[in-house]
Amino acid sequence: MAILSTRNLSKSYQMGEVEVKALVDTTFQVEEGEFVVILGPSGSGKSTLLNLIGGMDTPTRGQVFLRDEEITAYNERELTAYRRNKVGFVFQFYNIMANLTARENVELATEISQNPLDIDQVMEAVDLSQRQDHFPSQLSGGEQQRVSIARAVAKNPEILLCDEPTGALDYNTGISILSLLKRVNREMGKTLLVITHNGDIARIADRVIKMRSGQIIEDILEKSPLNVEDIKW
Amino acid sequence: MKKIDFMLLRMIQNSKSQFIAILVIIVTGIVVFTSMNMTSINMRNTVDDYYEEKRFPHLFLQAEAFPAQQIERASLHPDVEQVMGRIHTDGRLITEDPNQRVNLQILSTNSSDPLSWPTLLEGHLLQNPKEVLVVEQFANARNIGPQDPLRIQINGVVYSMEVAGIIANPEHIYLVESAQSLLPDNENFGVLYVEHLFAQRVTGLAGNYNELLVSYQPDTDEDFLVDRLKEQFRPFGVTQVVTRETHLSNAVIDLELENLQLMANSVPILFLLVAGLILMMMLGRMVKRDRMKIGILKAIGYSNRAVLMHYVKYALVAGLLGGAVGSVLGMALAGAMTRLYLDFFHIPMLTMNFYYSYIFIAMLLSATICILSGLLGARGVMKIAPADAMGSEIPKGGKRIFLENWTHFWKQLSFSQKLAIKNLFRNKKRSLFVLAGVSLTFGMMTFTNSMTSVMDDMMVKHFTEFQTMGYNISLKQPVEKHDLYDLPHIIQVEEDEMEGRLEAPFTLTNGHREASAVIIGLDPNSRFIHLKDPGSLPQKVPAEGILLSQNMAQVLDVKTGDWVEIQHYLPGRENEMVQVAGQVKQTLGMNGYMDLDYMGALLFEKGLVNGVYLDSDDPLIQQKLIKASNISSVMSSKDSQAVYQEYMTMTYLSIAFMVLFSGVLGFAIVYNATMVNLSSRELEFSSLRVMGFTRKEIFQLILKENNILLGVGILLGIPVGRWFSYYSSEAFTTDIYHLDLSPSLHAYVLATIYTILFILLAQLATYRKIQKLDFLKALKSRES
């Protein structure tokens, strides 16, 4: 059974007198434990799709299901609970709290989730045990993104949504982050949805969903994804 | 502690200067609230206990003479609790300086009296007829102690007495000679107590008293009882009835405590509202600045309510902390303030309690206002959708402001002026807030400074414009007007520099309304009393009818043309109806004015006078008049003015305090608003810096914006000041004085100078912040 599915998902915005169709009738499924990359150029609708899946925005039309629960039918309170317990977010610009230490940033999320993981183990897993008491301003970009990943993972969500997780990082740091995400997927068994415009990153995914102008143009199942170390950009 | 609360603490730490500025306002407001309320309660309780313990009478009836055996008849009224008679007369202290006139009120007492018990502070109570008890204020001012000899003159006869003791008495908490004196002159007016028999003998009232003191049961209908007593003692010529409410000392204390209560409940609210407004503005800005953070919190799974509460807690911490610190400081101050009041009023006992409930009330009050401000300020949190918050904020649509339609005016402005005006319209709420702050500061400054001119009116103009005589001499017995021509034989005075007058206390009634006041009969062309109508135009006493001071007309609820009844105190004389011919503008006291001959004919006998106003350069006037037998008192305008001048120092001190107080408010409002302005436009100013603007030029840009608000705020502050003055005039006007606090030009000028000074200080404080701002760092940040 698919862990996540969308059905005719559409989202339009009104910009003055013009209606912008950010997402048009998008239908796809993600299986449990998959590493999925949504690939597309800027303005293709991938961030809108991620926001709708993450319960951060509501569609104009269509549905999103987590297993057999329709999250697009949720009210505000249920959406908050969904974001709290079922999904974890990793952002391009990390978006961690400047006035909390690395560990406190992770605790900020675990404090409100129902079934969090052990923070020490998570910090160990993201290789931040030695830096956990540092404030974001004392951490490198890669370390900040690790905090962001730790914060998302520590909630023990069913699915991890990553929006251009390497977009703000240099190549080497980007590779290390991707390795970490891959480990989260393989070793922790978390389903991962990563959106990116970088085609090379797509090569490590189990599935690649290509988007353009708000529509899915291709849904490819990779039979033998590459190891992170084997990709270059 | 939850991590979101850690964030809160660090948020407070990062905005500590603004947080402290808000705390200072809250703490000030709460200190005033707690200290003044507790002082007011403690003072009220102390005064009540003092009155109760020392048997302060409820009523004082004065008459020519009450036969001693008739006194007990008053106690036949079921409402009357205790009754006693005593002698109440005037006298003077003979001092080494023959020119010095020291007036005395001489009262008789006895250790077995049921009412008006003295508190012995030094020495012993009266043991023989040659001893006197001296009221503390007078004793202190003249350095009088037990066993000191005193020479007092009563009815022209000098008696050598010895001081038995120094006392305090609830009748003389505030020691003044008359309502017209207003301020105590402890060196030149005092109260002495002598034995009943001695007093009766020296006043020629053997077997009689001329004052009846009455205390009544709780829940007594005072008006009814007064009417019954007046009727009962009518044959003995009741001249005046003084109730506790109209008792001068008690009235002043009441007024003081009412003012204290008024301040206790209005000033803190003003402070807390300002703090609340600043908090609202700050939190509104924080929410805008933290848009991304709020989006993340919501994305992680925090509910709208949880995020909103995160910001409300910021306000709540300020409220609780301010409430706690303020109420503790307020309680400490309340003790000192109560003692200060007790010292000032010479109350020899203290009923002091710490009302810990005020800590709770103060914290509740400040927390409630802060929570409301927090909710209103941070309500924008609810509108932030997590998905939108992740992206950059859509810029607000720009549009022309209405001033641009006034093309002629708009073209006259320089580019930087146009920029400043446009910026003011960009954030209307903040601009309105600063405008309100400046107007409020200016209004308070205007009101405060108009108090100086009012005091000047009351203290100086009264003696230079309203009454211009050098001396006001009262006679013991009325004389024919032409008898006054004997005076130039005693002192150096020209006949055209003196003017006879009649003065006597009466009760005037209009239906159920009643007022006791001195009616003065004047020469219609008086050169010493200059009456003015409420519109400040000169007016003369009419040939018939009565002019009433404004406050008296108000008490009686009469207007020109109405009739009032004058209750006659002389036995056998009928009450008289008299028509109100107009009103008199008067700051001190409550009086009626009539034509001298008309008053004489109506209430006494035509051609009689019982006093004289005069101007004289005679240096020995006091000395010479002391010897004259029919002289009851000599009041020198110069001496009275000197006393007022002394008290003006105190007034200036309190005015300085009020100016500081208003200035702190203005400072806090402008400082905080400018800080929020700076923080919200960090990116904009960074861009200007990149374009080549210096820090100074950016500061000037902000200065220009604030100066426009300062100018407009001062203009708007004029009606605010007028309203404050009008409100205060109404609140402070009493039977004793009528205050007209209409601001003068002088008050406006001073208010403008002080307002500009404090606002300038606030702007200079923000200049330091501009120097410290890292503009380039702001440019790199995604948040602005």
Side-chain angles (χ1 to χ4, degrees), chain B residues 5-186:
Chain B
D5 294 330
F6 257 131
M7 277 169 60
L8 172 72
L9 288 183
R10 286 175 188 153
M11 190 160 90
I12 292 170
Q13 197 181 7
N14 289 339
S15 60
K16 56 180 175 293
S17 60
Q18 274 178 285
F19 189 80
I20 290 170
I22 290 172
L23 262 191
V24 167
I25 304 176
I26 299 176
V27 168
T28 311
I30 296 297
V31 164
V32 174
F33 174 79
T34 320
S35 61
M36 286 195 166
N37 267 301
M38 277 183 44
T39 305
S40 170
I41 296 175
N42 280 328
M43 276 299 294
R44 176 62 68 195
N45 290 344
T46 302
V47 169
D48 286 348
D49 288 352
Y50 186 41
Y51 284 177
E52 182 63 32
E53 200 178 308
K54 296 297 169 188
R55 316 287 299 152
F56 181 52
H58 291 104
L59 300 171
F60 301 78
L61 277 75
Q62 284 161 12
E64 298 291 303
F66 296 108
Q69 63 272 24
Q70 294 287 330
I71 299 288
E72 280 306 310
R73 281 182 55 210
S75 58
L76 296 176
H77 289 285
D79 291 335
V80 171
E81 201 178 52
Q82 300 277 9
V83 64
M84 65 168 271
R86 75 175 177 191
I87 297 292
H88 178 150
T89 190
D90 295 329
R92 69 175 69 116
L93 183 77
I94 307 295
T95 63
E96 285 169 7
D97 179 358
N99 276 323
Q100 195 177 26
R101 181 157 187 110
V102 181
N103 291 335
L104 296 174
Q105 189 182 88
I106 295 164
L107 303 169
S108 65
T109 184
N110 188 312
S111 53
S112 61
D113 284 344
L115 293 170
S116 193
W117 294 348
T119 305
L120 188 68
L121 304 172
E122 277 180 76
H124 59 82
L125 292 176
L126 298 178
Q127 290 170 348
N128 69 63
K130 285 282 179 191
E131 287 183 333
V132 293
L133 295 171
V134 184
V135 164
E136 184 192 9
Q137 295 97 306
F138 181 62
N140 289 347
R142 296 201 70 88
N143 203 18
I144 296 171
Q147 285 158 26
D148 282 354
L150 282 189
R151 292 178 72 220
I152 58 174
Q153 187 185 40
I154 305 170
N155 285 341
V157 182
V158 176
Y159 300 90
S160 294
M161 314 289 281
E162 189 181 284
V163 176
I166 309 300
I167 56 145
N169 185 297
E171 286 185 56
H172 315 297
I173 292 176
Y174 191 77
L175 187 64
V176 279
E177 193 168 358
S178 68
Q180 273 76 12
S181 317
L182 190 70
L183 294 172
D185 179 8
N186 294 337

Side-chain angles (χ1 to χ4, degrees), chain B residues 489-507:
Chain B
H489 302 302
I490 308 171
I491 54 172
Q492 290 170 24
V493 60
E494 300 295 325
E495 281 181 12
D496 61 350
E497 284 183 336
M498 52 187 240
E499 181 177 298
R501 55 99 174 134
L502 267 174
E503 256 187 41
F506 287 96
T507 301

Side-chain angles (χ1 to χ4, degrees), chain B residues 726-753:
Chain B
Y726 172 77
Y727 173 76
S728 310
S729 299
E730 292 289 305
F732 291 125
T733 293
T734 67
D735 290 358
I736 302 170
Y737 37 75
H738 176 81
L739 285 190
D740 178 6
L741 287 164
S742 306
S744 60
L745 182 67
H746 178 73
Y748 285 127
V749 171
L750 280 180
T752 308
I753 294 171

Side-chain angles (χ1 to χ4, degrees), chain A residues 24-97:
Chain A
V24 185
D25 286 333
T26 309
T27 301
F28 71 95
Q29 287 189 350
V30 176
E31 298 302 323
E32 189 156 9
E34 268 189 318
F35 188 120
V36 180
V37 165
I38 298 172
L39 184 66
S42 127
S44 60
K46 52 189 193 306
S47 288
T48 306
L49 179 62
L50 199 77
N51 286 341
L52 291 172
I53 293 169
M56 296 208 291
D57 205 354
T58 49
T60 315
R61 202 154 38 84
Q63 295 149 306
V64 176
F65 292 90
L66 183 79
R67 302 189 195 280
D68 53 357
E69 283 272 314
E70 186 192 343
I71 63 159
T72 37
Y74 282 172
N75 60 24
E76 186 59 41
R77 193 177 55 81
E78 289 165 328
L79 276 176
T80 302
Y82 168 72
R83 290 197 299 266
R84 185 176 289 199
N85 300 308
K86 307 290 184 188
V87 290
F89 288 95
V90 176
F91 302 100
Q92 180 181 358
F93 291 104
Y94 338 126
N95 294 352
I96 51 180
M97 303 295 171

Side-chain angles (χ1 to χ4, degrees), chain A residues 51 54-56 83 89 91 95 97 151, chain B residues 7 287-304 307 311 380-381 383-391 783:
Chain A
N51 286 341
M56 296 208 291
R83 290 197 299 266
F89 288 95
F91 302 100
N95 294 352
M97 303 295 171
R151 184 176 68 186
Chain B
M7 277 169 60
V287 166
K288 277 196 158 191
R289 190 196 59 199
D290 295 350
R291 203 166 151 267
M292 180 83 75
K293 179 175 117 181
I294 292 163
I296 300 161
L297 285 171
K298 287 188 181 182
I300 289 173
Y302 281 87
S303 64
N304 262 333
V307 183
Y311 289 93
V381 161
K383 292 183 199 152
I384 295 175
D388 297 340
M390 298 301 156
E783 296 175 4

